[in-house]
Amino acid sequence: MASSAAALLLMRGAPLRARVLRATAAALPRRFASGLVSTDEPLSPPAAASAGEGAPATSGSPKGPVAPLYMQGVPWAEQPEYRRWKDKEEEILKDIEPIRILTKEILHSDRYGDGERLSAEDEKEVIEKLLTYHPHSEDKIGCGLDSIMVDRHPQFGNSRCLFVVRTDGGWIDFSYQKCLRAYVKRKYPSHAEKFIREHFKRS
């Protein structure tokens, strides 16, 4: 009698256990639930696979800029941008070379001795094409400009440089390269940085 009652309770409890298992399976991710309930549906691939390994290749824009088709495979020296730069570079060189050549001749030849004043013609060229563009020209001129002379650099005796001789008898050196750099920056602002980097010593 007791065994019949126990069997009856087990039979009545079977549907309850089945419902509990189905509810548990529904609440769990499919990969865990597959051991509790059988299913004929295929398992979905892991989320990581859809974005990484195992994911199908997707067509997208490549990283970085892509040169236009007509520019691909064309050497840099043959590209229009390079030619525009070389044309401008040549223009700037033609503009500043005359005064640069003159200044080097004044400083590095026997045209002038140490402490000698420039000729009126050379002085005019140096004032108009160099000193005027110095970043601190007003400070260099001070109380007034009397003349331009050549002499030894006050700190580097082996080098000669240009000097402003003031009306009060004082004198001060100035760098012709600073004058030329300032001139290029003013007249050719779009190309000045590249030109100066390639054609002037750092100072």
Side-chain angles (χ1 to χ4, degrees):
M1 183 72 177
S3 60
S4 298
L8 182 61
L9 287 173
L10 288 173
M11 292 175 63
R12 289 178 178 177
L16 178 60
R17 286 196 302 273
R19 288 197 300 272
V20 171
L21 289 174
R22 281 196 296 271
T24 302
L28 289 173
R30 185 174 299 277
R31 63 180 179 274
F32 297 124
S34 60
L36 299 175
V37 293
S38 63
T39 175
D40 295 329
E41 297 179 7
L43 296 179
S44 301
S50 63
E53 295 183 4
T58 56
S59 60
S61 57
K63 295 181 180 180
V66 178
L69 290 176
Y70 73 92
M71 298 299 295
Q72 293 181 5
V74 178
W76 167 240
E78 298 178 12
Q79 294 185 16
E81 185 176 348
Y82 175 80
R83 289 312 320 162
R84 285 193 293 270
W85 155 245
K86 297 304 291 184
D87 290 344
K88 183 59 67 173
E89 180 185 39
E90 183 178 357
E91 177 186 342
I92 300 173
L93 285 172
K94 286 182 178 179
D95 187 11
I96 68 171
E97 274 304 285
I99 187 61
R100 184 153 70 171
I101 291 173
L102 173 62
T103 305
K104 288 183 177 181
E105 185 178 348
I106 291 171
L107 295 175
H108 306 303
S109 73
D110 58 359
R111 183 169 178 168
Y112 294 99
D114 293 347
E116 189 175 350
R117 174 178 175 172
L118 302 190
S119 68
E121 182 181 356
D122 289 347
E123 188 174 275
K124 182 175 182 292
E125 289 290 299
V126 169
I127 291 172
E128 292 182 355
K129 298 181 179 179
L130 291 178
L131 183 58
T132 300
Y133 296 97
H134 194 284
H136 306 292
S137 59
E138 292 184 1
D139 295 334
K140 297 290 184 180
I141 294 171
C143 61
L145 174 63
D146 178 67
S147 62
I148 302 293
M149 76 170 183
V150 183
D151 209 341
R152 295 288 170 178
H153 192 280
Q155 293 180 328
F156 309 102
N158 293 329
S159 300
R160 301 211 306 173
C161 59
L162 296 169
F163 287 80
V164 171
V165 180
R166 296 168 175 162
T167 53
D168 63 357
W171 44 274
I172 187 170
D173 66 291
F174 67 96
S175 167
Y176 82 91
Q177 290 206 27
K178 285 185 178 180
C179 300
L180 286 176
R181 284 197 293 268
Y183 172 79
V184 171
K185 288 178 182 179
R186 183 182 302 185
K187 188 170 181 180
Y188 308 96
S190 300
H191 301 84
E193 183 179 353
K194 182 177 178 63
F195 183 87
I196 290 170
R197 186 172 62 249
E198 294 188 7
H199 292 277
F200 287 89
K201 297 178 181 178
R202 294 182 180 180
S203 64

